Tab-separated table of all heavy atoms in Angstrom:
chain	number	residue	atom	x	y	z
A	1	TRP	N	-15.883	16.424	-108.568
A	1	TRP	CA	-15.557	17.286	-107.444
A	1	TRP	C	-16.743	18.199	-107.075
A	1	TRP	O	-16.650	19.403	-107.095
A	1	TRP	CB	-14.320	18.107	-107.808
A	1	TRP	CG	-13.506	18.633	-106.679
A	1	TRP	CD1	-13.082	19.944	-106.516
A	1	TRP	CD2	-13.000	17.935	-105.555
A	1	TRP	NE1	-12.336	20.052	-105.367
A	1	TRP	CE2	-12.277	18.803	-104.739
A	1	TRP	CE3	-13.092	16.586	-105.141
A	1	TRP	CZ2	-11.671	18.463	-103.557
A	1	TRP	CZ3	-12.472	16.239	-103.952
A	1	TRP	CH2	-11.742	17.146	-103.214
A	2	LYS	N	-17.877	17.537	-106.798
A	2	LYS	CA	-19.108	18.223	-106.419
A	2	LYS	C	-19.541	19.252	-107.436
A	2	LYS	O	-20.104	20.322	-107.089
A	2	LYS	CB	-18.986	18.810	-105.023
A	2	LYS	CG	-18.756	17.811	-103.923
A	2	LYS	CD	-18.636	18.455	-102.576
A	2	LYS	CE	-18.598	17.447	-101.444
A	2	LYS	NZ	-17.499	16.496	-101.436
A	3	GLY	N	-19.251	19.028	-108.697
A	3	GLY	CA	-19.616	19.915	-109.760
A	3	GLY	C	-18.681	21.092	-109.964
A	3	GLY	O	-18.841	21.884	-110.893
A	4	ARG	N	-17.696	21.226	-109.126
A	4	ARG	CA	-16.764	22.358	-109.204
A	4	ARG	C	-15.986	22.386	-110.548
A	4	ARG	O	-15.640	23.467	-111.025
A	4	ARG	CB	-15.774	22.329	-108.052
A	4	ARG	CG	-16.382	22.576	-106.692
A	4	ARG	CD	-15.293	22.601	-105.628
A	4	ARG	NE	-15.857	22.639	-104.298
A	4	ARG	CZ	-15.829	21.646	-103.419
A	4	ARG	NH1	-15.234	20.518	-103.745
A	4	ARG	NH2	-16.389	21.792	-102.266
A	5	VAL	N	-15.695	21.225	-111.103
A	5	VAL	CA	-14.848	21.179	-112.294
A	5	VAL	C	-15.505	21.878	-113.523
A	5	VAL	O	-14.790	22.288	-114.418
A	5	VAL	CB	-14.442	19.712	-112.680
A	5	VAL	CG1	-13.579	19.113	-111.614
A	5	VAL	CG2	-15.653	18.863	-112.962
A	6	VAL	N	-16.799	22.040	-113.480
A	6	VAL	CA	-17.437	22.680	-114.619
A	6	VAL	C	-17.651	24.181	-114.398
A	6	VAL	O	-18.160	24.868	-115.307
A	6	VAL	CB	-18.810	22.015	-114.986
A	6	VAL	CG1	-18.559	20.579	-115.440
A	6	VAL	CG2	-19.774	22.084	-113.825
A	7	ASN	N	-17.278	24.665	-113.271
A	7	ASN	CA	-17.402	26.092	-112.943
A	7	ASN	C	-16.046	26.774	-113.119
A	7	ASN	O	-15.178	26.650	-112.267
A	7	ASN	CB	-17.935	26.265	-111.526
A	7	ASN	CG	-18.209	27.692	-111.179
A	7	ASN	OD1	-17.710	28.648	-111.821
A	7	ASN	ND2	-18.973	27.905	-110.108
A	8	PRO	N	-15.806	27.498	-114.220
A	8	PRO	CA	-14.506	28.094	-114.484
A	8	PRO	C	-14.095	29.137	-113.454
A	8	PRO	O	-12.910	29.492	-113.366
A	8	PRO	CB	-14.683	28.696	-115.871
A	8	PRO	CG	-16.130	28.826	-116.091
A	8	PRO	CD	-16.787	27.797	-115.266
A	9	SER	N	-15.043	29.642	-112.683
A	9	SER	CA	-14.639	30.642	-111.679
A	9	SER	C	-13.996	30.024	-110.446
A	9	SER	O	-13.399	30.716	-109.634
A	9	SER	CB	-15.885	31.468	-111.241
A	9	SER	OG	-16.791	30.679	-110.532
A	10	ILE	N	-14.069	28.691	-110.304
A	10	ILE	CA	-13.467	28.000	-109.202
A	10	ILE	C	-12.062	27.586	-109.634
A	10	ILE	O	-11.881	26.836	-110.589
A	10	ILE	CB	-14.269	26.786	-108.725
A	10	ILE	CG1	-15.668	27.248	-108.287
A	10	ILE	CG2	-13.570	26.034	-107.611
A	10	ILE	CD1	-16.592	26.117	-107.900
A	11	THR	N	-11.026	28.137	-108.926
A	11	THR	CA	-9.667	27.947	-109.389
A	11	THR	C	-8.720	27.415	-108.305
A	11	THR	O	-7.510	27.583	-108.431
A	11	THR	CB	-9.107	29.287	-109.958
A	11	THR	OG1	-9.160	30.245	-108.930
A	11	THR	CG2	-9.889	29.733	-111.191
A	12	ASP	N	-9.281	26.741	-107.296
A	12	ASP	CA	-8.396	26.163	-106.314
A	12	ASP	C	-7.565	25.048	-106.918
A	12	ASP	O	-7.938	24.479	-107.967
A	12	ASP	CB	-9.163	25.661	-105.074
A	12	ASP	CG	-10.096	24.542	-105.419
A	12	ASP	OD1	-9.675	23.373	-105.343
A	12	ASP	OD2	-11.234	24.839	-105.796
A	13	GLU	N	-6.470	24.656	-106.297
A	13	GLU	CA	-5.526	23.688	-106.849
A	13	GLU	C	-6.170	22.354	-107.176
A	13	GLU	O	-5.926	21.824	-108.248
A	13	GLU	CB	-4.366	23.536	-105.867
A	13	GLU	CG	-3.272	22.595	-106.407
A	13	GLU	CD	-2.137	22.370	-105.452
A	13	GLU	OE1	-2.270	22.709	-104.237
A	13	GLU	OE2	-1.110	21.865	-105.854
A	14	GLN	N	-7.003	21.840	-106.271
A	14	GLN	CA	-7.608	20.522	-106.520
A	14	GLN	C	-8.530	20.575	-107.701
A	14	GLN	O	-8.551	19.665	-108.550
A	14	GLN	CB	-8.312	20.017	-105.265
A	14	GLN	CG	-7.343	19.669	-104.166
A	14	GLN	CD	-8.077	19.158	-102.940
A	14	GLN	OE1	-9.001	19.810	-102.447
A	14	GLN	NE2	-7.689	18.005	-102.457
A	15	THR	N	-9.382	21.585	-107.752
A	15	THR	CA	-10.345	21.691	-108.856
A	15	THR	C	-9.646	21.838	-110.206
A	15	THR	O	-9.994	21.148	-111.158
A	15	THR	CB	-11.295	22.874	-108.631
A	15	THR	OG1	-11.946	22.720	-107.392
A	15	THR	CG2	-12.335	22.975	-109.744
A	16	VAL	N	-8.647	22.693	-110.257
A	16	VAL	CA	-7.869	22.888	-111.504
A	16	VAL	C	-7.215	21.554	-111.906
A	16	VAL	O	-7.242	21.191	-113.089
A	16	VAL	CB	-6.858	23.999	-111.340
A	16	VAL	CG1	-5.886	24.055	-112.532
A	16	VAL	CG2	-7.596	25.337	-111.217
A	17	HIS	N	-6.645	20.856	-110.960
A	17	HIS	CA	-5.976	19.592	-111.260
A	17	HIS	C	-6.959	18.583	-111.825
A	17	HIS	O	-6.658	17.909	-112.835
A	17	HIS	CB	-5.278	19.027	-110.034
A	17	HIS	CG	-4.413	17.838	-110.338
A	17	HIS	ND1	-3.135	17.938	-110.789
A	17	HIS	CD2	-4.712	16.506	-110.306
A	17	HIS	CE1	-2.645	16.748	-110.981
A	17	HIS	NE2	-3.597	15.859	-110.697
A	18	LEU	N	-8.120	18.466	-111.223
A	18	LEU	CA	-9.132	17.547	-111.702
A	18	LEU	C	-9.640	17.928	-113.091
A	18	LEU	O	-9.850	17.065	-113.948
A	18	LEU	CB	-10.268	17.398	-110.723
A	18	LEU	CG	-9.953	16.627	-109.470
A	18	LEU	CD1	-11.045	16.786	-108.426
A	18	LEU	CD2	-9.700	15.186	-109.763
A	19	ARG	N	-9.807	19.213	-113.314
A	19	ARG	CA	-10.221	19.711	-114.624
A	19	ARG	C	-9.174	19.308	-115.687
A	19	ARG	O	-9.481	18.842	-116.777
A	19	ARG	CB	-10.384	21.227	-114.555
A	19	ARG	CG	-11.187	21.840	-115.617
A	19	ARG	CD	-11.362	23.369	-115.367
A	19	ARG	NE	-12.278	23.650	-114.281
A	19	ARG	CZ	-12.067	24.510	-113.317
A	19	ARG	NH1	-10.975	25.258	-113.292
A	19	ARG	NH2	-12.979	24.726	-112.358
A	20	GLU	N	-7.880	19.522	-115.336
A	20	GLU	CA	-6.806	19.154	-116.230
A	20	GLU	C	-6.730	17.630	-116.441
A	20	GLU	O	-6.446	17.162	-117.557
A	20	GLU	CB	-5.482	19.662	-115.705
A	20	GLU	CG	-5.356	21.145	-115.759
A	20	GLU	CD	-4.133	21.732	-115.055
A	20	GLU	OE1	-3.442	20.967	-114.363
A	20	GLU	OE2	-3.911	22.941	-115.138
A	21	LEU	N	-6.944	16.847	-115.350
A	21	LEU	CA	-6.949	15.396	-115.494
A	21	LEU	C	-8.051	14.934	-116.490
A	21	LEU	O	-7.798	14.119	-117.361
A	21	LEU	CB	-7.192	14.763	-114.150
A	21	LEU	CG	-7.390	13.223	-114.218
A	21	LEU	CD1	-6.097	12.502	-114.478
A	21	LEU	CD2	-8.108	12.684	-112.995
A	22	ASN	N	-9.254	15.473	-116.333
A	22	ASN	CA	-10.359	15.113	-117.204
A	22	ASN	C	-10.000	15.390	-118.671
A	22	ASN	O	-10.232	14.562	-119.556
A	22	ASN	CB	-11.646	15.800	-116.808
A	22	ASN	CG	-12.190	15.280	-115.512
A	22	ASN	OD1	-12.017	14.120	-115.185
A	22	ASN	ND2	-12.864	16.148	-114.783
A	23	ALA	N	-9.414	16.565	-118.929
A	23	ALA	CA	-8.996	16.893	-120.297
A	23	ALA	C	-7.886	15.974	-120.781
A	23	ALA	O	-7.886	15.528	-121.932
A	23	ALA	CB	-8.535	18.354	-120.364
A	24	LYS	N	-6.920	15.672	-119.894
A	24	LYS	CA	-5.818	14.803	-120.257
A	24	LYS	C	-6.345	13.411	-120.626
A	24	LYS	O	-5.931	12.857	-121.677
A	24	LYS	CB	-4.841	14.700	-119.097
A	24	LYS	CG	-3.688	13.725	-119.320
A	24	LYS	CD	-2.844	13.595	-118.025
A	24	LYS	CE	-1.674	12.693	-118.286
A	24	LYS	NZ	-0.432	13.380	-118.359
A	25	LEU	N	-7.218	12.858	-119.834
A	25	LEU	CA	-7.759	11.524	-120.112
A	25	LEU	C	-8.591	11.518	-121.398
A	25	LEU	O	-8.525	10.569	-122.175
A	25	LEU	CB	-8.557	11.013	-118.942
A	25	LEU	CG	-7.779	10.758	-117.654
A	25	LEU	CD1	-8.695	10.342	-116.505
A	25	LEU	CD2	-6.672	9.714	-117.847
A	26	ARG	N	-9.344	12.574	-121.625
A	26	ARG	CA	-10.180	12.644	-122.813
A	26	ARG	C	-9.288	12.672	-124.068
A	26	ARG	O	-9.632	12.065	-125.083
A	26	ARG	CB	-11.011	13.939	-122.767
A	26	ARG	CG	-11.892	14.110	-124.027
A	26	ARG	CD	-12.647	15.446	-124.011
A	26	ARG	NE	-11.684	16.564	-124.067
A	26	ARG	CZ	-11.659	17.558	-123.191
A	26	ARG	NH1	-12.488	17.609	-122.160
A	26	ARG	NH2	-10.761	18.516	-123.298
A	27	ASN	N	-8.097	13.275	-123.973
A	27	ASN	CA	-7.249	13.449	-125.136
A	27	ASN	C	-6.068	12.462	-125.225
A	27	ASN	O	-5.284	12.500	-126.139
A	27	ASN	CB	-6.673	14.871	-125.170
A	27	ASN	CG	-7.768	15.898	-125.341
A	27	ASN	OD1	-8.682	15.733	-126.117
A	27	ASN	ND2	-7.711	16.951	-124.536
A	28	ASP	N	-5.992	11.539	-124.231
A	28	ASP	CA	-4.884	10.591	-124.170
A	28	ASP	C	-5.115	9.464	-125.160
A	28	ASP	O	-6.035	8.653	-124.945
A	28	ASP	CB	-4.724	10.072	-122.758
A	28	ASP	CG	-3.433	9.246	-122.548
A	28	ASP	OD1	-2.910	8.742	-123.561
A	28	ASP	OD2	-2.983	9.127	-121.419
A	29	PRO	N	-4.309	9.335	-126.207
A	29	PRO	CA	-4.537	8.254	-127.200
A	29	PRO	C	-4.247	6.837	-126.651
A	29	PRO	O	-4.555	5.863	-127.302
A	29	PRO	CB	-3.580	8.633	-128.338
A	29	PRO	CG	-2.495	9.423	-127.660
A	29	PRO	CD	-3.155	10.180	-126.518
A	30	ARG	N	-3.644	6.794	-125.492
A	30	ARG	CA	-3.298	5.457	-124.894
A	30	ARG	C	-4.467	4.818	-124.188
A	30	ARG	O	-4.417	3.641	-123.856
A	30	ARG	CB	-2.135	5.609	-123.916
A	30	ARG	CG	-0.884	6.228	-124.590
A	30	ARG	CD	0.183	6.592	-123.541
A	30	ARG	NE	-0.348	7.666	-122.662
A	30	ARG	CZ	0.265	8.116	-121.575
A	30	ARG	NH1	1.431	7.602	-121.233
A	30	ARG	NH2	-0.250	9.063	-120.856
A	31	VAL	N	-5.548	5.616	-123.928
A	31	VAL	CA	-6.698	5.097	-123.213
A	31	VAL	C	-7.995	5.507	-123.902
A	31	VAL	O	-8.041	6.512	-124.608
A	31	VAL	CB	-6.736	5.566	-121.715
A	31	VAL	CG1	-5.501	5.101	-120.951
A	31	VAL	CG2	-6.857	7.068	-121.623
A	32	ALA	N	-9.034	4.718	-123.619
A	32	ALA	CA	-10.397	5.182	-123.912
A	32	ALA	C	-10.979	5.480	-122.550
A	32	ALA	O	-10.819	4.723	-121.617
A	32	ALA	CB	-11.176	4.031	-124.584
A	33	SER	N	-11.641	6.620	-122.422
A	33	SER	CA	-12.132	6.985	-121.097
A	33	SER	C	-13.570	7.451	-121.118
A	33	SER	O	-14.090	7.902	-122.154
A	33	SER	CB	-11.242	8.085	-120.488
A	33	SER	OG	-11.350	9.285	-121.217
A	34	SER	N	-14.204	7.310	-119.977
A	34	SER	CA	-15.592	7.731	-119.834
A	34	SER	C	-15.793	8.170	-118.398
A	34	SER	O	-15.358	7.527	-117.476
A	34	SER	CB	-16.541	6.574	-120.178
A	34	SER	OG	-17.868	6.996	-120.067
A	35	VAL	N	-16.539	9.293	-118.243
A	35	VAL	CA	-16.908	9.757	-116.891
A	35	VAL	C	-18.268	9.217	-116.577
A	35	VAL	O	-19.192	9.298	-117.354
A	35	VAL	CB	-16.894	11.330	-116.856
A	35	VAL	CG1	-17.406	11.811	-115.481
A	35	VAL	CG2	-15.501	11.876	-117.134
A	36	VAL	N	-18.373	8.633	-115.397
A	36	VAL	CA	-19.620	8.108	-114.895
A	36	VAL	C	-20.135	9.089	-113.857
A	36	VAL	O	-19.461	9.347	-112.869
A	36	VAL	CB	-19.408	6.705	-114.256
A	36	VAL	CG1	-20.742	6.141	-113.719
A	36	VAL	CG2	-18.808	5.748	-115.290
A	37	ARG	N	-21.344	9.580	-114.091
A	37	ARG	CA	-21.915	10.574	-113.148
A	37	ARG	C	-22.609	9.831	-111.995
A	37	ARG	O	-23.837	9.910	-111.835
A	37	ARG	CB	-22.925	11.431	-113.906
A	37	ARG	CG	-22.244	12.367	-114.866
A	37	ARG	CD	-23.248	13.201	-115.632
A	37	ARG	NE	-24.486	13.432	-114.922
A	37	ARG	CZ	-25.639	13.738	-115.518
A	37	ARG	NH1	-25.713	13.846	-116.814
A	37	ARG	NH2	-26.733	13.904	-114.815
């Protein structure tokens, strides 16, 4: 999200959701995940 997900001061709904998605996928034992920059 244009780097917004790593900036904790950005708290709009989309950014927060993507931040939560990234954490969810990282911790989901049903999948192996990787972020491609």
Side-chain angles (χ1 to χ4, degrees):
W1 204 230
K2 297 181 173 60
R4 292 182 188 110
V5 295
V6 297
N7 184 342
S9 68
I10 299 176
T11 59
D12 64 90
E13 183 181 15
Q14 289 181 308
T15 302
V16 169
H17 188 85
L18 287 169
R19 199 176 286 135
E20 290 172 352
L21 172 75
N22 289 331
K24 176 185 183 108
L25 294 176
R26 180 184 64 235
N27 297 317
D28 189 337
R30 303 169 295 174
V31 298
S33 65
S34 181
V35 174
V36 179
R37 290 178 27 203

